[in-house]
Amino acid sequence: MKDRLIILIMFAVAIFGLPLLTGGGVREIGGSEPEVVFPDTVAVYLTESNAVAVITAEEYLEGCLAAQIPINYEPEALKAQAAAAATYAMRLMINLEGSGKIPEGADISDDPQLCQPYFTPEKRTEEYGEDYERFRADLQLAAEFGRKHILTAGGEPIYAVYHAVSAGRTCPSEYVWGIQLGYLKAADSFADKGSMNFECVNEMRSEEARLALIRYDPDIEIPADCAKGFTEL
């Protein structure tokens, strides 16, 4: 099974103003902070078929879960991931509105480079086989939960970013994106050091290392005599 992103949600305080979304929006609750409401339907641009599919919120979140986390995880883990996926989707839809980055008529894309991973029903069956139907009820319950639990700060959905493993400590938002967000602060994550493949060793000659780095980033500047920066074994 392909690697899946495991949840590591970071909550708390900071952004402002939420434009209305079709079928969703902001609803005032007794004068307190507005409640962010996930839209009833989502128009998803499917990159493989170059088409826009209008599906229910639950259907979209179920597809996100199948693409982002093993579907046989515990129900509470699925719910937590669904809440993160729903929150992140809301944030993305706000950012993408009028941006021209997705086709007209779409709210969001299944392109993980631009948005977040999403599997169509066909892709879910292809990926999981009979297990998809076996665990589908858990996915549906989690999707229903996630839609109703949007994480907010200042009345606006947060950037509910997450990752599989850190280097033992996470980074603040300004270090990663150059934007300071009060709810994305650095935190110790010592348990990550016990993760599978946390540390690995790959031995190669200095010239091989130089070429590998250039393949990774052609714009990187590495002097031809870079061997001085490596330890030959």
Side-chain angles (χ1 to χ4, degrees):
M1 182 186 301
K2 298 176 180 177
D3 290 337
R4 295 284 182 268
L5 292 177
I6 315 281
I7 186 166
L8 207 156
I9 314 174
M10 302 156 245
F11 305 26
V13 189
I15 10 196
F16 310 94
L18 177 66
L20 295 180
L21 297 171
T22 303
V26 176
R27 188 169 67 231
E28 293 287 348
I29 306 295
S32 61
E33 183 176 294
E35 178 188 2
V36 177
V37 182
F38 201 91
D40 295 329
T41 60
V42 181
V44 185
Y45 173 59
L46 305 175
T47 51
E48 190 171 320
S49 60
N50 191 29
V52 175
V54 180
I55 57 179
T56 66
E58 289 79 7
E59 168 67 18
Y60 172 69
L61 293 175
E62 184 181 331
C64 288
L65 286 171
Q68 298 173 12
I69 188 172
I71 62 175
N72 62 347
Y73 268 26
E74 292 294 327
E76 293 305 309
L78 292 173
K79 289 179 181 178
Q81 183 71 19
T87 301
Y88 194 42
M90 289 288 289
R91 183 70 259 165
L92 288 169
M93 287 189 280
I94 293 169
N95 291 354
L96 288 169
E97 187 175 14
S99 69
K101 294 181 178 180
I102 54 178
E104 186 177 350
D107 298 319
I108 203 165
S109 170
D110 67 351
D111 180 0
Q113 299 300 317
L114 179 63
C115 296
Q116 64 179 338
Y118 163 82
F119 281 173
T120 62
E122 295 75 20
K123 179 65 174 178
R124 292 169 226 167
T125 300
E126 176 187 336
E127 186 76 12
Y128 294 104
E130 295 180 356
D131 281 347
Y132 173 51
E133 289 301 327
R134 179 183 173 190
F135 293 103
R136 189 174 182 184
D138 289 343
L139 294 177
Q140 291 172 329
L141 288 174
E144 292 173 7
F145 175 91
R147 181 189 176 187
K148 298 173 183 177
H149 292 79
I150 306 298
L151 305 173
T152 64
E156 187 169 310
I158 68 169
Y159 287 88
V161 292
Y162 50 87
H163 55 78
V165 178
S166 74
R169 182 173 175 80
T170 64
C171 294
S173 60
E174 58 267 29
Y175 183 88
V176 181
W177 297 292
I179 301 173
Q180 186 172 14
L181 298 171
Y183 52 82
L184 292 181
K185 297 181 179 296
D188 290 328
S189 187
F190 297 119
D192 288 353
K193 295 183 178 181
S195 300
M196 184 183 299
N197 299 324
F198 174 79
E199 182 178 356
C200 61
V201 177
N202 189 350
E203 296 181 5
M204 62 181 72
R205 303 193 65 81
S206 59
E207 179 61 13
E208 292 176 309
R210 187 178 76 86
L211 293 176
L213 289 169
I214 291 174
R215 283 196 299 272
Y216 176 77
D217 183 357
D219 295 328
I220 195 170
E221 296 183 5
I222 304 178
D225 61 348
C226 68
K228 298 176 182 178
F230 295 93
T231 299
E232 294 285 357
L233 300 178

